[in-house]
Amino acid sequence: MQPVTITCTIDAKEPTPYTIAIRDKWKNNVPGASSRGIAGLDDECGLTVADLEPGQRYEFGVWTDDRDQYIDRMTFTFTVEYYDGIPDNMNNKSLWLGPTLGNSQLRPMIFLNFFGLTFFLFIFPASYYAERVALARNEKEEKFPDFLRDLAEYWKGGLSMTVAVQTLATSEYGALNNEVRKMSSQLSWGVKFGDVIHLFAERVGTPLVKRAISLISEADRAGGKISDILITAANDSREIKFLEGERQRAIGSYIAVIWTSYGVFLGVIVVLAKVFIPAIADSNSGGGEGGDSGGQNIGNMQIRAIDPLFFLTIFYYGVTMQAMGNGAMAGLMATGRITSGFKHSGMMIVLAILVFNFIAFSPDLIGVQVLDGLNQSSEPYAPTRLSTV
């Protein structure tokens, strides 16, 4: 259906009967597309056609009944309600698509972006902060075995623990420098060595340091050969850090597999969104009232009319959930903590947002059709007499 409505005003110096009509390209009157009136008496005029066949060339004009009579002025508005290529079942007015970015077709404010960005802002900053804190603790743990070994060497040299720690405060232990200096300051203030190392363990707060300090504290209280305990604790801490490094190197290949699988999944989804879904939508959106035939039959199977934006939304939700799951699994495999993998989830979500915005969120899929409007002919118009209406 392509309804046409014409509203017009006609002025004449004297009462002048006239006819307004729509003709096809062969100068034949379109059935039901004409109206009569008298200019100068009833200046308002109008015409309504229930269905004007699209894709054809038409002429609209006004003719006076008497050749010797003229009209002075005519203004009109020609309104055509024509099918824009979007199936009737696509009701996207309730969905926020947002404005375009400049002259491009990008819509960065589309409602789907808010869904992805919500998950990104919810998980990525916290995961990134936790990762930085864990990295700082890991740097301290890396230097902890060296500190214990040097402490044992000074003990063997005949220095007390207090003097040994104060001497080591001038050494280089990377991220552990500040902690060693705090221990030295506390010992200089008269704090017991057992209390100092317990405070050190609380500040670092990692299970590896706490376990080694607990062992050293018990040996110091028992009065045994503490240098052997220190060396044992240093070797134990170094072995644990070595095993953690081996685990991370081994898991690196599995994380690469997770990213690859996500990339393949994202690629398949984009191909479905850009090729498969539009093809089905085009095949069953033609014909019928309003441009929606209600489906197509393939043998005994009927494919109902589909909304591409609905499937695009489902695909986008699926890709986002896949990013969450893949990232959590990567973190669980790498560090044993699900939350540590949310940084991977955040990066995957950003990748999905970019891919969908630049490739999948095209006007034909989100229900925005760029219309050219009426094509006004540039050919010269040769007026002819109106045929009998």
Side-chain angles (χ1 to χ4, degrees):
M1 298 287 292
Q2 183 170 265
V4 174
T5 302
I6 301 174
T7 58
C8 56
T9 58
I10 300 178
D11 297 330
K13 295 180 179 180
E14 59 181 357
T16 304
Y18 67 86
T19 301
I20 58 173
I22 299 176
R23 305 192 304 188
D24 58 25
K25 60 183 178 180
W26 294 286
K27 310 297 183 180
N28 297 323
N29 298 337
V30 175
S34 62
S35 176
R36 293 182 57 83
I38 300 177
L41 296 180
D42 49 352
D43 295 341
E44 299 292 332
C45 59
L47 179 63
T48 300
V49 181
D51 183 15
L52 192 64
E53 184 181 355
Q56 303 295 328
R57 180 181 180 274
Y58 296 96
E59 296 177 350
F60 169 69
V62 56
W63 292 262
T64 59
D65 292 353
D66 189 345
R67 293 186 178 184
D68 296 330
Q69 291 181 309
Y70 302 92
I71 60 176
D72 292 338
R73 180 171 168 272
M74 177 183 182
T75 60
F76 66 93
T77 302
F78 200 101
T79 305
V80 180
E81 300 178 15
Y82 62 103
Y83 178 53
D84 60 3
I86 304 173
D88 286 348
N89 61 303
M90 291 183 68
N91 179 22
N92 301 336
K93 294 182 179 180
S94 61
L95 302 177
W96 174 251
L97 301 181
T100 58
L101 183 62
N103 296 326
S104 67
Q105 296 298 330
L106 297 178
R107 295 177 179 268
M109 303 298 290
I110 189 172
F111 72 99
L112 290 175
N113 282 344
F114 289 99
F115 176 81
L117 289 175
T118 298
F119 277 94
F120 174 80
L121 296 176
F122 183 73
I123 64 174
F124 186 79
S127 178
Y128 179 78
Y129 174 77
E131 185 73 13
R132 301 300 300 179
V133 172
L135 182 61
R137 290 181 178 178
N138 183 66
E139 291 176 351
K140 294 179 180 179
E141 290 182 346
E142 290 288 346
K143 294 296 182 179
F144 184 62
D146 297 334
F147 171 71
L148 294 181
R149 182 198 61 201
D150 293 343
L151 193 61
E153 293 297 328
Y154 276 98
W155 175 267
K156 288 181 180 181
L159 297 179
S160 65
M161 283 296 178
T162 301
V163 177
V165 173
Q166 291 175 341
T167 304
L168 292 175
T170 59
S171 302
E172 179 59 39
Y173 292 105
L176 207 59
N177 282 340
N178 291 334
E179 301 298 337
V180 177
R181 293 192 183 102
K182 287 180 182 180
M183 293 174 66
S184 176
S185 299
Q186 290 168 344
L187 289 171
S188 66
W189 297 337
V191 183
K192 294 181 180 180
F193 177 75
D195 295 335
V196 170
I197 59 177
H198 275 297
L199 291 173
F200 167 76
E202 291 298 327
R203 287 196 302 270
V204 177
T206 62
L208 183 145
V209 173
K210 287 183 176 180
R211 181 174 61 180
I213 291 301
S214 177
L215 181 63
I216 296 171
S217 177
E218 291 297 327
D220 180 60
R221 188 166 36 248
K225 194 175 182 181
I226 194 172
S227 60
D228 292 340
I229 302 299
L230 289 171
I231 293 176
T232 301
N235 292 335
D236 179 65
S237 300
R238 184 176 289 106
E239 186 66 23
I240 290 176
K241 298 306 295 180
F242 174 77
L243 292 176
E244 287 180 357
E246 285 293 314
R247 177 182 182 180
Q248 291 181 355
R249 285 187 289 272
I251 293 301
S253 59
Y254 293 99
I255 294 179
V257 170
I258 290 176
W259 270 95
T260 302
S261 64
Y262 179 76
V264 172
F265 178 73
L266 182 60
V268 171
I269 289 298
V270 170
V271 170
L272 289 176
K274 288 294 293 181
V275 178
F276 184 68
I277 297 303
I280 295 180
D282 291 342
S283 67
N284 57 31
S285 63
E289 184 176 354
D292 189 359
S293 64
Q296 291 286 327
N297 293 323
I298 302 178
N300 295 326
M301 179 179 65
Q302 184 181 33
I303 302 177
R304 300 298 299 172
I306 66 172
D307 179 357
L309 181 59
F310 170 78
F311 282 92
L312 193 64
T313 303
I314 297 300
F315 289 162
Y316 186 77
Y317 290 166
V319 168
T320 303
M321 294 301 102
Q322 181 78 3
M324 295 286 292
N326 283 4
M329 183 58 62
L332 186 64
M333 295 172 62
T335 62
R337 301 189 307 273
I338 292 178
T339 55
S340 66
F342 283 157
K343 66 178 184 296
H344 293 283
S345 298
M347 290 185 287
M348 290 180 183
I349 290 174
V350 170
L351 178 62
I353 290 175
L354 293 176
V355 169
F356 270 77
N357 275 273
F358 282 95
I359 300 178
F361 291 159
S362 56
D364 57 327
L365 290 181
I366 64 177
V368 178
Q369 188 70 28
V370 179
L371 302 176
D372 296 330
L374 296 178
N375 182 15
Q376 187 174 355
S377 175
S378 59
E379 298 178 0
Y381 174 71
T384 58
R385 292 298 300 171
L386 183 67
S387 58
T388 303
V389 180

